Amino acid sequence: MTGLSLPRYAPDTGTHPDLDWPDYRSTRLRAPSRPPVLLPQRLTEVTGPLLGEDRVAPGDSDLTRQHPGEPLGERMILTGRVLDGDGRPVPHTLVELWQANAAGRYAHAGDQHPAPLDPNFTGAGRCVTDGEGRYRFVTIKPGAYPWRNHLNAWRPRHLHFSLFGRAFTQRLVTQMYFPGDPLFDHDPIFRSVRDPAARQRMICRLDLDVTEPEWALGYRFDFVLRGRDATRWEGPR
Ligand SMILES: [Fe+2]
């Protein structure tokens, strides 16, 4: 026993985005120029620090109740499951969400485009999946926003997600989109996933069983970590 193990990953089926995607200009500088090096994982990397329920309060999953007033915009519920490639639920996984407000502006110093900030909306939330791998957020549907990738570059409405396993080395990042967005065909990030079927798996679906009458539309979205139905993940895998 050496105490070392190299992480193993499912082979890329050719549907993940290329790290260097010419239509997404920032990837020219971000993409590694040399092949990645697999780092051995020791006990520290795979056991700690643990991310657990005690760090997440129940209210952290409701982004509409983090301030004295209610945020402006279209209230929505998002729920689903975290699954592995064999369809088994992944319990006790930290799911973090960050997003723009209803006007398409992030509450972040890096976002200075002239859309209004909402004093009642920060745009960040988190929760931990239950024993069946389920998660649930209440939030505001984000607006589209411009970015400077090219002339008239606008991002489709989207939510950003990070999922942690049982240690900091087990982190996956992705984005989720909304059905029928007219900007899909014009977004280099969405289009960096070349397989049309894989693009569809990045889009949530309206679900009237999740919808609460007179209060909020409901959507469903499952995160699939490995295998043929895997959600498209950003960055090295
Ligand atoms: Fe974004």
Side-chain angles (χ1 to χ4, degrees):
M1 288 284 289
T2 65
L4 301 178
S5 64
L6 286 172
R8 295 194 305 176
Y9 301 100
D12 191 338
T13 59
T15 58
H16 286 284
D18 292 339
L19 296 178
D20 184 2
W21 184 249
D23 288 349
Y24 180 4
R25 284 193 339 205
S26 301
T27 65
R28 293 176 196 166
L29 295 176
R30 290 179 188 163
S33 57
R34 290 186 284 180
V37 176
L38 282 179
L39 295 176
Q41 295 189 349
R42 297 177 171 82
L43 204 56
T44 301
E45 281 77 26
V46 296
T47 61
L50 290 178
L51 301 159
E53 299 87 321
D54 54 334
R55 294 172 185 246
V56 180
D60 289 354
S61 62
D62 189 341
L63 286 73
T64 69
R65 298 190 182 281
Q66 296 174 343
H67 298 275
E70 284 209 80
L72 295 173
E74 183 180 321
R75 195 186 292 121
M76 60 169 276
I77 300 161
L78 179 70
T79 189
R81 291 194 298 168
V82 180
L83 303 168
D84 70 14
D86 297 319
R88 292 175 299 202
V90 181
H92 315 307
T93 292
L94 177 66
V95 182
E96 294 176 297
L97 156 66
W98 65 100
Q99 64 170 101
N101 67 20
R105 174 107 182 243
Y106 286 99
H108 188 280
D111 186 350
Q112 295 293 325
H113 99 272
L117 287 168
D118 186 336
N120 291 312
F121 193 72
T122 300
R126 58 185 183 173
C127 68
V128 176
T129 59
D130 67 11
E132 305 293 317
R134 287 186 296 251
Y135 72 91
R136 184 178 187 273
F137 286 104
V138 177
T139 186
I140 295 295
K141 190 173 184 179
Y145 61 79
W147 58 312
R148 293 175 176 165
N149 188 71
H150 56 275
L151 181 66
N152 261 336
W154 289 74
R155 296 295 330 279
R157 300 166 188 263
H158 61 275
L159 304 178
H160 293 268
F161 286 99
S162 160
L163 276 68
F164 272 110
R166 301 303 293 174
F168 279 123
T169 56
Q170 300 169 349
R171 186 189 186 204
L172 297 167
V173 175
T174 192
Q175 297 181 27
M176 185 214 82
Y177 300 86
F178 292 87
D181 197 308
L183 290 168
F184 285 153
D185 289 344
H186 308 284
D187 181 39
I189 296 179
F190 183 77
R191 290 169 57 82
S192 68
V193 175
R194 283 169 287 183
D195 179 356
R199 290 179 190 167
Q200 293 305 309
R201 293 197 293 272
M202 300 190 296
I203 303 171
C204 65
R205 65 178 174 85
L206 177 69
D207 189 332
L208 292 182
D209 291 331
V210 175
T211 297
E212 297 197 9
E214 315 298 327
W215 193 72
L217 286 172
Y219 296 90
R220 271 191 191 279
F221 185 73
D222 288 339
F223 299 93
V224 182
L225 301 183
R226 286 283 184 257
R228 195 175 52 193
D229 295 327
T231 304
R232 303 302 99 192
W233 298 103
E234 299 173 4
R237 292 162 297 277

